[in-house]
Amino acid sequence: MVEKKPAFPLSKARVQELIRTYPTPWHIYDERAIRENARALYKAFSWVKGFKNHFAVKALPNPFILKVLKEEGMGTDCSSLPELLLSERVGIAGEDVMFTSNDTPPEEFMKARQLGAVINLDDITHIDALERSAGIPELVCFRYNPGALKQGNAIIGKPEEAKYGLTREQLLEAYKIVRQKGAKRFGLHTMVASNELNPDYFVETARILFELVVEIHETCGARIELVNLGGGIGIPYKPEQVPVDLERVSRGVKAEYEGIVVKAGLDPLRIVLESGRMVTGPYGWLVTTVRHIKRTYRDYVGVDACMANLMRPGMYGAYHHHTVLGKEDAPLVHEYDVTGSLCENNDKFAIGRMLPEVEVGDIIAIHDTGAHGHAMGFNYNGKLRSAELLLRPDGSIVRIRRAETPDDYFATLDFGALERFQ
Ligand SMILES: *Cc1c(COP(=O)(O)O)cnc(C)c1O
């Protein structure tokens, strides 16, 4: 089981030292903790033959991280051409890659096919799109949208309002079609929640899919060999929340597997996940320095990071815990809004947060930025994406991505053409 919210792994003195080489803001990830967490996940599902987590590349698309996760036995879950290329660059290919895309362009089907990825179709009409662009592979997977069968959650919303996946009726038809077109191996996928902390939710998802595996076998004769339970395992962003008990999820899934799949004589079946957030999320921090303290109708801590470095609070009102380095044990005596410099009033990392008395020059570690953190960065307002650092198990630190510079911001512009432009 994952421990409670991991403490920021570096001392203030070490961070001050690092800042001389790498000015803030930057994200830092803890390799040892990520590896231990990956091992705990694999241990929990060790009863599954061929269990694999296909790390959702979009959560932390850095090749150094992917290389670490590859060493821990993970594959990738990609949904765009650049993600497929990134996976290829770290040597993750073949069926270690799940390609779960939507509204997919033909060149992405072609690249996925060339890599030998498991292609997970999002719609019944994509069968034709795939056939035209890349041909029908031996193994085809479909994404199921259970509609009203399954309750939604805050980030993805209600399944029946989500754009993803096929209805049950379409799914039963789809396997027949791809069988006629030559597919011999079949997978089934769903992903209906994001950042879900209730372990039973995942057990219920497994039950729905296992029942469908039986139904698909009975009605279309297609024997599903791969069930992908999706990602969406949540992490405790708030200190009072508890991590998902993976052992409990695994036990629950096993009971459903035995009661449904084994009973129907459809064992063995490979169960995989495509979790991103729970793999790296708690083991990353955005480190930022306090630039200004402003007192108007509220008290503001202005930091050198902004929502271009971490969009979740601005986008979802998400909570990210803050630690003021060196003041870990100081009493929380002052209510602040912690803001960035973007010209958008939702550029706030925390609103009405009780913190120790903060001064200009203090360093704040914003927790749980190891997934959907740097990755969601953008350049609006001329904001540049930060560097990413990795804390190695031996205590050394490597920079795994440099910070952007204005030259990166201008890289897609042709100033020569501007000179000639009248
Ligand atoms: C985003 C996404 C994931 C990963 O979600 P996490 O919340 O990071 O686990 C997995 N699969 C698909 C299809 C996704 O879109």
Side-chain angles (χ1 to χ4, degrees), residues 46-341:
S46 57
W47 62 271
V48 176
K49 288 178 211 83
F51 173 80
K52 194 172 274 291
N53 182 63
H54 295 265
F55 180 72
V57 173
K58 77 169 191 270
L60 183 46
N62 187 298
F64 292 80
I65 298 292
L66 296 183
K67 197 169 177 189
V68 165
L69 295 176
K70 180 180 184 230
E71 284 174 16
E72 297 301 334
M74 291 196 193
T76 50
D77 170 47
C78 302
S79 57
S80 65
L81 183 62
E83 288 182 359
L84 286 168
L85 295 171
L86 197 56
S87 187
E88 185 178 32
R89 289 290 280 267
V90 294
I92 302 179
E95 290 179 13
D96 288 347
V97 182
M98 280 293 301
F99 182 59
T100 299
S101 60
N102 62 93
D103 196 16
T104 315
E107 61 273 18
E108 296 192 355
F109 280 135
M110 286 159 73
K111 183 67 197 177
R113 185 82 208 272
Q114 185 217 332
L115 269 182
V118 178
I119 297 177
N120 188 18
L121 296 178
D122 186 62
D123 187 42
I124 194 157
T125 65
H126 293 189
I127 299 172
D128 281 343
L130 174 63
E131 187 172 35
R132 280 196 306 273
S133 55
I136 301 290
E138 187 186 74
L139 170 59
V140 180
C141 188
F142 288 102
R143 178 171 188 162
Y144 172 48
N145 182 329
L149 245 190
K150 183 92 182 150
Q151 279 204 332
N153 92 343
I155 294 186
I156 288 201
K158 289 185 184 164
E160 64 267 42
E161 290 169 9
K163 66 173 179 171
Y164 309 111
L166 290 77
T167 67
R168 185 177 146 279
E169 291 71 26
Q170 290 173 334
L171 200 65
L172 295 173
E173 185 62 25
Y175 286 104
K176 286 186 195 150
I177 298 172
V178 291
R179 258 189 113 195
Q180 283 158 7
K181 292 183 184 295
K184 302 222 157 31
R185 301 166 56 210
F186 308 96
L188 175 64
H189 164 272
T190 199
M191 160 102 186
V192 282
S194 186
N195 195 30
E196 179 59 57
L197 283 170
N198 177 1
D200 300 333
Y201 194 94
F202 301 98
V203 177
E204 191 204 3
T205 300
R207 178 176 56 72
I208 291 173
L209 289 186
F210 294 158
E211 283 170 350
L212 202 50
V213 163
V214 176
E215 187 177 1
I216 290 164
H217 186 246
E218 282 167 0
T219 58
C220 349
R223 182 165 176 157
I224 305 289
E225 65 169 56
L226 178 74
V227 166
N228 184 335
L229 301 179
I233 298 177
I235 59 170
Y237 286 100
K238 294 183 179 163
E240 69 274 15
Q241 289 175 324
V242 232
V244 173
D245 182 343
L246 296 172
E247 298 282 345
R248 173 165 160 189
V249 172
S250 171
R251 275 197 306 276
V253 172
K254 187 164 191 265
E256 299 293 351
Y257 184 81
E258 282 162 2
I260 302 168
V261 178
V262 176
K263 198 163 152 240
L266 296 174
D267 173 61
L269 185 104
R270 226 157 66 73
I271 300 169
V272 303
L273 294 176
E274 51 186 28
S275 268
R277 189 187 312 271
M278 66 79 48
V279 177
T280 53
Y283 313 109
W285 296 263
L286 172 60
V287 176
T288 182
T289 304
V290 176
R291 252 186 207 152
H292 303 283
I293 306 280
K294 167 170 175 166
R295 295 173 214 278
T296 53
Y297 305 104
R298 303 168 76 97
D299 287 355
Y300 295 98
V301 171
V303 295
D304 62 4
C306 69
M307 67 183 290
N309 308 114
L310 178 68
M311 184 154 64
R312 298 187 72 260
M315 183 161 172
Y316 309 118
Y319 180 96
H320 278 262
H321 199 65
H322 287 38
T323 296
V324 184
L325 300 190
K327 297 185 179 176
E328 288 81 355
D329 301 320
L332 309 179
V333 289
H334 203 128
E335 186 177 313
Y336 294 105
D337 286 5
V338 179
T339 74
S341 56

